[in-house]
Amino acid sequence: MARPRQALLTRERIVAAASALVDAEGLDALSVRRLATELGVQGPSLYNHFATKAEIVDAVADAVVEQVDLSVFGRLEWHEALRAWAKAYHAVLAEHPNIVPVLAQGPGRRPAGLAMAEAVFGALVDAGWPPARATHIGALMRYLVTGSALGSFALGFDIDPGLYDQYPHLHRAPLLAAHHEAVDEGAFELGLDLMISGLMARQEIGARR
């Protein structure tokens, strides 16, 4: 009786397995040897598809960015599109927090990352923002979205009440952990609202001059 054939090893299978491993255990858990074991193959076979571990990490990061909806650009007004995109990107990163440190470094040579940068920058320039200012806005949005996904502000405080005896303004800090999702999401929404409204006001002032 013929043995069942081993599933064909493809870039897609490798990226899917690597993504699952990073999501479950973090970037430090990802190695060529561990990934080969997960896929049921020998390590060298992965090098037929990726030259280095860094290339695999890049592919995982790009696969995450591919999940972000860019269709809002060109369909909505620039400020509405920017808001919708930022919220969509934020939501995707919330599902894949372990890859955020890689994405926070910028798109590098990753196709989906570059396509997203092109969409954001292009929409801003098409809306009348000077290229230099559009670059600043794009950078600012990346700081907000990836920065908010790098870690929880609310979980950064210890829950020991006694610790805050000498910090009277922080006496309620131990309560933040129990409400960390609401605190962190509220902070992101507030930052996004202030950023978009501030940009709209800046553009309106510029149009009057």
Side-chain angles (χ1 to χ4, degrees):
M1 183 176 179
R3 290 183 301 175
R5 293 197 308 172
Q6 187 179 49
L8 181 65
L9 188 63
T10 63
R11 285 179 63 92
E12 290 73 20
R13 278 194 68 212
I14 295 170
V15 172
S19 296
L21 185 56
V22 171
D23 282 345
E25 301 183 33
L27 282 166
D28 289 343
L30 181 61
S31 69
V32 173
R33 177 179 295 181
R34 174 71 184 279
L35 189 54
T37 299
E38 294 289 327
L39 289 164
V41 299
Q42 297 298 313
S45 62
L46 271 65
Y47 292 116
N48 293 326
H49 301 274
F50 294 96
T52 64
K53 173 188 167 180
E55 285 189 8
I56 298 174
V57 172
D58 263 356
V60 170
D62 221 33
V64 169
V65 172
E66 282 182 334
Q67 300 175 37
V68 182
D69 182 15
L70 301 179
S71 66
V72 292
F73 295 110
R75 180 166 58 83
L76 302 177
E77 292 291 324
W78 71 268
H79 53 90
E80 295 175 339
L82 203 62
R83 181 188 300 276
W85 161 76
K87 293 179 74 169
Y89 192 15
H90 179 71
V92 168
L93 295 188
E95 294 294 322
H96 306 280
N98 292 334
I99 200 65
V100 174
V102 178
L103 295 172
Q105 297 173 14
R109 299 175 62 87
R110 298 188 291 270
L114 291 170
M116 186 165 71
E118 166 76 8
V120 175
F121 181 75
L124 292 168
V125 171
D126 289 345
W129 289 97
R133 187 59 74 198
T135 300
H136 296 157
I137 296 171
L140 187 60
M141 295 301 294
R142 180 160 68 87
Y143 299 152
L144 174 66
V145 177
T146 60
S148 66
L150 279 172
S152 168
F153 171 83
L155 290 177
F157 293 89
D158 197 282
I159 62 173
D160 177 12
L163 177 65
Y164 301 96
D165 289 344
Q166 58 182 319
Y167 308 103
H169 286 20
L170 299 179
H171 71 282
R172 295 180 63 84
L175 304 178
L176 291 176
H179 307 282
H180 66 94
E181 291 184 358
V183 172
D184 294 336
E185 285 300 314
F188 173 75
E189 292 285 350
L190 176 62
L192 184 59
D193 282 343
L194 292 174
M195 191 177 298
I196 298 295
S197 61
L199 289 171
M200 291 174 66
R202 174 68 66 90
Q203 189 182 56
E204 184 176 346
I205 292 173
R208 291 174 181 173
R209 291 176 178 173

